[in-house]
Amino acid sequence: NIFMGSFKGHALPGSFFLVAGIWWTGKYSLWHATRRNKSIGSTRLAGRSLQRRLEIIENSGVCPPLCPTGMLAEQFLADGPKLQLYNFAEKHWEDLMNWQHATMYLFFGLAATVSLVLHSTEVAPLALDRLMLAVAFFNEGFLFLYHLHGRSMLDVHVHQLLLYAVFAQAIVAFLEVFHRGNIILELLRCTLTILQGSWFWEIGFVLYPPSGPEWDLTDHSNMMFVTMCYSWHLAFAMLVVGVFVVRSRLKRTPPMEMGLLKTMERDAESEDDVL
Amino acid sequence: NIFMGSFKGHALPGSFFLVAGIWWTGKYSLWHATRRNKSIGSTRLAGRSLQRRLEIIENSGVCPPLCPTGMLAEQFLADGPKLQLYNFAEKHWEDLMNWQHATMYLFFGLAATVSLVLHSTEVAPLALDRLMLAVAFFNEGFLFLYHLHGRSMLDVHVHQLLLYAVFAQAIVAFLEVFHRGNIILELLRCTLTILQGSWFWEIGFVLYPPSGPEWDLTDHSNMMFVTMCYSWHLAFAMLVVGVFVVRSRLKRTPPMEMGLLKTMERDAESEDDVL
Amino acid sequence: NIFMGSFKGHALPGSFFLVAGIWWTGKYSLWHATRRNKSIGSTRLAGRSLQRRLEIIENSGVCPPLCPTGMLAEQFLADGPKLQLYNFAEKHWEDLMNWQHATMYLFFGLAATVSLVLHSTEVAPLALDRLMLAVAFFNEGFLFLYHLHGRSMLDVHVHQLLLYAVFAQAIVAFLEVFHRGNIILELLRCTLTILQGSWFWEIGFVLYPPSGPEWDLTDHSNMMFVTMCYSWHLAFAMLVVGVFVVRSRLKRTPPMEMGLLKTMERDAESEDDVL
Amino acid sequence: NIFMGSFKGHALPGSFFLVAGIWWTGKYSLWHATRRNKSIGSTRLAGRSLQRRLEIIENSGVCPPLCPTGMLAEQFLADGPKLQLYNFAEKHWEDLMNWQHATMYLFFGLAATVSLVLHSTEVAPLALDRLMLAVAFFNEGFLFLYHLHGRSMLDVHVHQLLLYAVFAQAIVAFLEVFHRGNIILELLRCTLTILQGSWFWEIGFVLYPPSGPEWDLTDHSNMMFVTMCYSWHLAFAMLVVGVFVVRSRLKRTPPMEMGLLKTMERDAESEDDVL
């Protein structure tokens, strides 16, 4: 099976989440900067229609081609189950892993479809797109959770660390249902997506090292190193997001008007003096 | 015992929750569509009194006949305990399962009674009905949780999966105490209710297959398949709710006025530009 | 030791929490009814100074005499440790149970003292009293949690069920820091306090039956019965609180003005139409 | 290794957190008192610029010198790894503990740097500083969590108790993202920081007693005593914070104007009458 249990099988989703995380970071830091500048002069509606168009492009241009492709690839490539679920001859389930991965793609595809419908029509409240995203991440974590039975200690551990990022993403996306447009939550979600992406690569390197000696999957000090490594990946993801934030904001705000902006923005942004 | 440990014993509550979930979905998507249109012209009070009448019908017409019937059936049908709790002769508890199911009915009956009182009088704040619903679901999950001792692996697993839906319903209903009328939470609860209903059917088919061979309750690959199956049930439940939402909203909103509505509605609906 | 490991040792805290729960229920349902009527005519300040005086009486008249008495009793009665913590002669800790109970009293005493200071002076924000209550309940649960090592199955189980009520109380009190004056949360806390009180009595009856045969502490069906029993105690607690709510509200609201009140109150109470 | 596994290795971080907790308590109770008095006369901006300057001093004067020093000390003092991560000769990881501690310092350093940037420029919303603090505490707890494998019972237990404080701090800091300036949450975080600091000292005394006999690390009654001890540390931390609060508020509020202040402040502070 080329999809899991191989270096490539982890590098592929890793790259996908890395790209998604960086794209989102760019999108949200751009919007946040635009929102700020609107208070100087540009019209509100311009920003909104741009935002809507960007969402439609993202959801129609990226997921609809990608998700069905992923599902079909899981089914028909190499040793996929080819839509056969149960092997009645030999009385066992056919390639359950591929079916599980196809199910994960299905939920991300659903989330993208719903988001597309929401942003191009007026059928339901916008907040549904975050709920669908939360469900998709939760579903991914849920399937992984029951994936780990009977593996070796380090294998279980690196996947558990992955689950922290996945469930944290689900929770943050669910919080966004109630705090839509909160830049802090959006950036946190971006950070966790990048973390998930880079951690997929790390899993590939640890479990299926493309070069060099194999890791001892039962050594406790390896487990401790991997835990610390996870912290470093988190710091790296925060750094990436931080660079985007600093660049996008500094470029756009003319320094002379800072003092003015500061006061206006504060009122909306923080409840520092409310208590 | 005809109520549990049988295909019928799972199909019955399954059908109940399926019907309840679909009824709620219809009710909430109807209300949400009505609320929207009110901004065009109809009076606010009309919608409110209709809403109140619907709640009273739901709570007086459905639960009062159903819950006591269920409790009596558990007690007196076939091999029920007939209100006897402890068998002093043989020194053991009498049909604890039936007593537990009767207790579950009791809490749903309480929730319906309180809801009926709240909507027809002015005794207490409306939000209490969601709290009672949360308590009823929590109680159901709580009794199931201590129900599973000593069963086989797959049996425990399918019931654990059921518990996810039950406790999630309890949490969502509790959140509704603070965010009453939030359509996202209402639809999420509907989805989970349908999921619980269809999963009860699935449990029936897995543990007591009406036709075909028995399942191997200790096979790990069966467990993995069942987990994935749960995801499919969730996707199915989301699909059902989605169809209702799309139908009820599209029918009612005249397309020409969409642009206008959009702006008005946004202000209330999303905090997209607040930050 | 007369305080724990005996019927009386559980009946005492049970009675305390029962009384506290019923007192709180009366207080909150009275206030809620008063608040409602204020919209008809009475001045706001009157209600507030009454409320403040009631709080001061509660916190100065009840806890200051009770908590130190409890702490002293734990220390000096019968076989208490008499302030000796470590027995250097025999190299063991002296009556750790009594010390733990004294610590629990200490935290409830602290909460009462802080509440007294807050309501009689202007030193700190009022919400601190709920935080202190949350800490006191959390501390109680925390000490019980590490109390159960090495006991028999049923003994552990009945105390775990107690912990559900205790930690739920801590969480509800913590939520009240942010939603102060929310009648739903206040009533929920009252219900849980009554549940805790009546469950203490139940523990006494199960572990130290004053008459009749001893319970088999290792029988699984006993455990299942006890779980169901917990649900019944919860239903009983909800019933008690419900009676208070219905009585206090119906007595005070003249039926003719109901329609008027309804509209006014709704606006503040529910966000039914906000979405 | 001088940093962990020694009395000094626990006393050092203990002192750090004690100082940090007391500094924060002073800062927040001062601000809260200042905010109150502003309603009498002083200008709002004065308070704000003072606040900002204090934040900059705190974050530039304390952490930038401390965190790199800590990281370098972990690496180069005594038997540190001297930036060597893997010992290829003997095929084992080099001093993983020191690397983990350096990683913890790294995250606190990151949080301080981000806070410094936020308060001296306008790059990103202020709430990010609490998110970074939450991440730093979460990371500390996370690394400790996988630190405990294979130690003796009491050793594991005292570190688990530490984790309660650490994760509670992370949660409170995360809540502050949404409730910035809430004095209750700020004081709770101060309390937990002081608790963490004094508990580090306690760990030092229990595991590496500088004088007197060693503790029996497998005795269950020691474990029960230590649990109770944790409650006492919590009570002590609450006492310290309480003294600060009472002193700073009483000193600054002229008693004659109390009645006036009370009314004004209430409106903002509590939702006592909102329901």
Side-chain angles (χ1 to χ4, degrees):
Chain A
N1 185 324
I2 63 151
F3 276 95
M4 225 44 178
S6 72
F7 179 75
K8 246 202 253 167
H10 287 89
L12 214 81
S15 311
F16 173 73
F17 282 113
L18 272 177
V19 170
I22 289 170
W23 161 269
W24 279 344
T25 313
K27 190 176 79 175
Y28 292 127
S29 43
L30 184 73
W31 284 357
H32 195 50
T34 317
R35 258 184 244 152
R36 280 195 129 191
N37 292 342
K38 264 180 315 204
S39 33
I40 312 183
S42 66
T43 60
R44 242 183 148 175
L45 283 174
R48 214 180 238 155
S49 75
L50 172 76
Q51 188 176 328
R52 168 172 290 221
R53 220 170 302 144
L54 220 65
E55 286 279 14
I56 292 176
I57 291 169
E58 173 185 333
N59 286 304
S60 64
V62 181
C63 277
L66 267 189
C67 289
T69 309
M71 289 173 70
L72 292 175
E74 289 282 352
Q75 290 289 342
F76 295 107
L77 277 197
D79 42 356
K82 302 185 178 54
L83 288 181
Q84 195 190 354
L85 186 53
Y86 193 72
N87 187 331
F88 286 97
E90 302 173 27
K91 303 219 172 212
H92 65 78
W93 299 100
E94 200 64 67
D95 293 299
L96 273 178
M97 289 251 167
N98 295 44
W99 277 98
Q100 290 203 345
H101 299 149
T103 304
M104 292 180 195
Y105 283 113
L106 173 69
F107 273 77
F108 281 104
L110 270 178
T113 312
V114 168
S115 183
L116 184 61
V117 169
L118 290 175
H119 285 280
S120 53
T121 74
E122 293 293 319
V123 174
L126 278 180
L128 257 184
D129 66 345
R130 300 299 151 92
L131 183 67
M132 294 299 295
L133 201 63
V135 170
F137 279 123
F138 177 79
N139 179 65
E140 185 197 348
F142 177 75
L143 288 178
F144 266 122
L145 194 67
Y146 290 100
H147 220 162
L148 305 175
H149 185 87
R151 304 202 185 174
S152 63
M153 191 183 73
L154 193 64
D155 195 345
V156 168
H157 186 60
V158 289
H159 282 95
Q160 265 176 352
L161 293 175
L162 187 70
L163 286 181
Y164 284 112
V166 174
F167 281 121
Q169 273 173 303
I171 290 168
V172 171
F174 188 70
L175 282 178
E176 280 189 79
V177 171
F178 302 97
H179 298 271
R180 193 185 180 78
N182 184 324
I183 186 69
I184 306 284
L185 286 179
E186 285 168 350
L187 293 180
L188 183 56
R189 183 154 54 83
C190 294
T191 310
L192 291 166
T193 309
I194 295 175
L195 171 64
Q196 194 190 341
S198 70
W199 192 250
F200 258 118
W201 276 90
E202 179 78 34
I203 294 181
F205 279 109
V206 168
L207 299 186
Y208 314 97
S211 71
E214 299 255 322
W215 289 53
D216 179 358
L217 297 184
T218 55
D219 181 9
H220 185 68
S221 73
N222 278 340
M223 199 165 133
M224 276 180 75
F225 168 72
V226 156
T227 309
M228 185 172 53
C229 216
Y230 190 73
S231 289
W232 296 349
H233 279 258
L234 177 58
F236 163 76
M238 293 197 308
L239 202 76
V240 171
V241 171
V243 166
F244 267 86
V245 169
V246 170
R247 278 184 49 121
S248 68
R249 308 252 355 213
L250 282 183
K251 258 200 316 224
R252 267 148 232 278
T253 323
M256 319 147 293
E257 306 183 39
M258 289 266 263
L260 188 75
L261 263 176
K262 193 181 320 190
T263 332
M264 292 166 67
E265 184 195 42
R266 270 280 173 68
D267 294 342
E269 218 167 70
S270 78
E271 304 108 2
D272 230 324
D273 298 88
V274 168
L275 187 96
Chain B
N1 185 325
I2 63 151
F3 276 94
M4 225 43 178
S6 73
F7 179 75
K8 245 202 254 166
H10 287 89
L12 214 81
S15 311
F16 173 74
F17 282 114
L18 270 177
V19 170
I22 288 168
W23 161 268
W24 279 344
T25 312
K27 191 175 78 174
Y28 291 127
S29 44
L30 184 73
W31 284 357
H32 194 50
T34 317
R35 256 183 246 153
R36 280 195 129 191
N37 293 341
K38 264 180 313 202
S39 33
I40 311 183
S42 68
T43 59
R44 241 180 150 176
L45 283 174
R48 212 178 239 156
S49 75
L50 172 75
Q51 187 176 329
R52 167 172 292 221
R53 220 170 301 144
L54 220 66
E55 286 279 13
I56 292 175
I57 290 169
E58 173 186 333
N59 288 302
S60 65
V62 181
C63 277
L66 267 191
C67 290
T69 310
M71 289 172 70
L72 292 175
E74 290 282 351
Q75 289 290 344
F76 295 107
L77 277 196
D79 41 358
K82 302 185 179 54
L83 288 181
Q84 194 189 355
L85 186 53
Y86 193 73
N87 188 331
F88 287 96
E90 301 173 29
K91 304 222 171 211
H92 65 78
W93 300 99
E94 201 62 69
D95 293 301
L96 273 178
M97 289 251 166
N98 295 43
W99 277 98
Q100 290 204 344
H101 299 149
T103 305
M104 292 180 196
Y105 283 113
L106 173 69
F107 273 78
F108 282 104
L110 269 178
T113 312
V114 168
S115 184
L116 183 61
V117 169
L118 290 175
H119 285 279
S120 54
T121 73
E122 293 294 320
V123 174
L126 278 181
L128 256 183
D129 65 346
R130 299 299 151 91
L131 182 67
M132 293 299 294
L133 201 64
V135 170
F137 278 124
F138 178 80
N139 179 65
E140 185 197 348
F142 176 75
L143 287 177
F144 266 122
L145 194 67
Y146 291 99
H147 221 164
L148 304 175
H149 186 87
R151 304 201 184 175
S152 63
M153 192 183 73
L154 193 63
D155 194 343
V156 168
H157 186 60
V158 290
H159 282 94
Q160 264 176 352
L161 292 175
L162 187 70
L163 286 180
Y164 284 113
V166 175
F167 282 121
Q169 275 173 301
I171 291 168
V172 171
F174 188 71
L175 282 177
E176 280 188 79
V177 171
F178 302 98
H179 298 272
R180 193 184 179 80
N182 184 323
I183 185 70
I184 306 283
L185 285 180
E186 286 168 350
L187 293 180
L188 183 56
R189 183 155 53 84
C190 295
T191 309
L192 291 166
T193 309
I194 294 176
L195 171 63
Q196 194 190 342
S198 69
W199 192 251
F200 258 118
W201 276 89
E202 179 78 34
I203 294 180
F205 278 110
V206 168
L207 298 186
Y208 313 97
S211 71
E214 299 254 323
W215 289 53
D216 178 357
L217 297 184
T218 55
D219 181 9
H220 184 68
S221 72
N222 277 341
M223 199 165 133
M224 276 180 76
F225 169 72
V226 157
T227 309
M228 185 170 56
C229 216
Y230 190 73
S231 289
W232 296 350
H233 279 257
L234 176 57
F236 163 76
M238 293 196 308
L239 203 76
V240 171
V241 171
V243 166
F244 268 86
V245 170
V246 170
R247 277 185 49 121
S248 68
R249 308 257 348 219
L250 282 184
K251 258 198 318 222
R252 266 147 233 277
T253 322
M256 320 148 292
E257 305 185 39
M258 287 265 264
L260 188 74
L261 263 176
K262 193 182 319 188
T263 333
M264 293 165 69
E265 186 195 40
R266 272 280 172 69
D267 295 342
E269 217 167 71
S270 78
E271 301 108 4
D272 231 323
D273 298 88
V274 167
L275 187 98
Chain C
N1 185 325
I2 62 153
F3 275 95
M4 225 44 180
S6 73
F7 179 75
K8 245 202 253 167
H10 286 89
L12 214 81
S15 312
F16 173 74
F17 282 113
L18 271 177
V19 170
I22 288 169
W23 161 268
W24 278 344
T25 312
K27 191 176 78 174
Y28 292 126
S29 44
L30 184 72
W31 284 356
H32 195 51
T34 316
R35 258 184 245 151
R36 279 195 128 191
N37 293 342
K38 263 181 313 205
S39 32
I40 311 184
S42 66
T43 60
R44 241 179 150 178
L45 283 173
R48 213 179 239 157
S49 75
L50 173 75
Q51 186 177 329
R52 168 172 290 221
R53 219 170 302 144
L54 220 66
E55 287 279 11
I56 292 176
I57 291 169
E58 174 186 332
N59 287 303
S60 65
V62 182
C63 276
L66 267 190
C67 289
T69 311
M71 288 173 70
L72 292 175
E74 289 281 351
Q75 289 290 343
F76 295 107
L77 277 197
D79 41 357
K82 301 184 178 57
L83 288 181
Q84 194 190 357
L85 186 53
Y86 192 74
N87 188 331
F88 287 96
E90 302 173 29
K91 304 221 173 210
H92 65 78
W93 299 99
E94 200 63 69
D95 293 300
L96 273 179
M97 290 249 166
N98 295 44
W99 277 98
Q100 290 204 344
H101 300 150
T103 304
M104 292 178 195
Y105 283 114
L106 173 69
F107 273 78
F108 281 105
L110 269 178
T113 312
V114 168
S115 183
L116 183 61
V117 169
L118 291 175
H119 286 280
S120 54
T121 73
E122 293 294 319
V123 174
L126 278 179
L128 255 184
D129 65 346
R130 299 299 149 91
L131 183 67
M132 294 300 295
L133 202 63
V135 170
F137 279 124
F138 178 79
N139 179 65
E140 185 196 348
F142 176 75
L143 287 177
F144 266 123
L145 194 68
Y146 291 99
H147 220 164
L148 304 175
H149 185 87
R151 303 200 184 176
S152 62
M153 190 182 74
L154 193 63
D155 195 343
V156 168
H157 186 61
V158 291
H159 282 95
Q160 264 175 352
L161 293 175
L162 187 71
L163 286 181
Y164 284 113
V166 175
F167 282 120
Q169 274 174 301
I171 289 168
V172 171
F174 188 71
L175 282 177
E176 280 188 80
V177 171
F178 301 97
H179 299 270
R180 193 184 179 82
N182 184 323
I183 186 70
I184 306 283
L185 285 180
E186 285 168 351
L187 293 180
L188 182 56
R189 183 155 53 84
C190 295
T191 310
L192 291 167
T193 310
I194 295 175
L195 171 63
Q196 194 191 341
S198 70
W199 192 249
F200 258 118
W201 277 90
E202 179 77 34
I203 294 180
F205 278 110
V206 169
L207 298 187
Y208 313 96
S211 71
E214 300 253 322
W215 289 53
D216 179 359
L217 297 185
T218 56
D219 181 10
H220 185 69
S221 72
N222 277 341
M223 200 166 132
M224 276 180 76
F225 169 73
V226 157
T227 309
M228 185 170 56
C229 216
Y230 190 73
S231 289
W232 297 349
H233 279 258
L234 176 57
F236 163 76
M238 292 196 309
L239 202 76
V240 170
V241 171
V243 166
F244 267 86
V245 169
V246 170
R247 278 185 49 122
S248 68
R249 308 263 340 224
L250 281 183
K251 259 199 316 220
R252 266 147 233 277
T253 322
M256 319 148 293
E257 306 183 40
M258 288 266 263
L260 189 72
L261 262 176
K262 191 181 323 189
T263 333
M264 292 166 68
E265 185 194 41
R266 271 282 172 69
D267 294 343
E269 219 168 70
S270 77
E271 303 107 1
D272 231 322
D273 299 88
V274 166
L275 186 102
Chain D
N1 186 324
I2 63 153
F3 275 96
M4 225 43 181
S6 73
F7 179 75
K8 246 203 253 165
H10 286 89
L12 213 81
S15 310
F16 173 74
F17 282 114
L18 271 177
V19 170
I22 288 169
W23 161 269
W24 279 344
T25 312
K27 190 176 79 174
Y28 292 126
S29 44
L30 184 73
W31 284 356
H32 194 51
T34 316
R35 258 184 245 151
R36 280 195 128 190
N37 292 342
K38 264 181 312 206
S39 33
I40 312 183
S42 66
T43 60
R44 242 181 149 177
L45 283 174
R48 214 180 238 157
S49 75
L50 173 76
Q51 188 175 328
R52 168 173 289 221
R53 219 169 302 144
L54 221 65
E55 286 279 11
I56 292 176
I57 291 168
E58 173 186 333
N59 287 304
S60 66
V62 182
C63 277
L66 267 189
C67 290
T69 310
M71 288 173 72
L72 292 175
E74 289 282 351
Q75 289 290 342
F76 296 106
L77 278 196
D79 41 357
K82 302 185 178 57
L83 288 180
Q84 194 190 356
L85 186 53
Y86 193 73
N87 187 330
F88 288 96
E90 301 174 30
K91 304 220 172 212
H92 65 76
W93 299 100
E94 201 63 67
D95 293 299
L96 273 179
M97 289 249 165
N98 295 44
W99 277 97
Q100 291 204 342
H101 299 149
T103 305
M104 294 179 194
Y105 283 113
L106 173 69
F107 273 78
F108 281 104
L110 269 178
T113 311
V114 168
S115 184
L116 183 61
V117 169
L118 291 175
H119 285 281
S120 54
T121 73
E122 292 295 319
V123 174
L126 278 180
L128 256 184
D129 65 346
R130 299 299 150 91
L131 183 66
M132 294 299 295
L133 201 64
V135 169
F137 278 124
F138 177 79
N139 179 64
E140 185 196 348
F142 176 75
L143 287 177
F144 266 123
L145 195 67
Y146 291 99
H147 221 161
L148 305 174
H149 185 87
R151 303 202 185 175
S152 63
M153 190 181 74
L154 194 63
D155 195 343
V156 169
H157 185 61
V158 290
H159 282 95
Q160 264 176 352
L161 292 174
L162 187 71
L163 286 181
Y164 284 113
V166 174
F167 282 120
Q169 275 173 300
I171 290 167
V172 171
F174 188 71
L175 282 177
E176 279 188 80
V177 171
F178 302 97
H179 300 270
R180 193 185 179 81
N182 184 323
I183 186 70
I184 307 284
L185 285 179
E186 286 168 350
L187 293 180
L188 183 56
R189 183 154 53 85
C190 295
T191 310
L192 291 166
T193 310
I194 294 175
L195 171 63
Q196 194 190 342
S198 70
W199 192 249
F200 258 119
W201 276 90
E202 180 78 35
I203 293 180
F205 277 110
V206 169
L207 299 187
Y208 313 96
S211 70
E214 299 254 322
W215 288 54
D216 179 358
L217 297 184
T218 56
D219 181 9
H220 185 68
S221 73
N222 277 342
M223 199 166 133
M224 276 180 75
F225 169 72
V226 157
T227 308
M228 185 170 56
C229 216
Y230 190 73
S231 289
W232 296 351
H233 280 257
L234 177 57
F236 163 76
M238 293 196 309
L239 202 76
V240 171
V241 171
V243 166
F244 267 86
V245 170
V246 169
R247 279 184 48 122
S248 68
R249 308 257 347 216
L250 282 183
K251 259 199 316 221
R252 265 146 234 278
T253 322
M256 320 147 292
E257 305 183 40
M258 288 266 264
L260 187 74
L261 263 177
K262 191 182 322 188
T263 332
M264 292 166 67
E265 185 195 40
R266 272 279 175 68
D267 295 343
E269 219 167 69
S270 78
E271 303 107 2
D272 230 324
D273 298 89
V274 167
L275 188 96

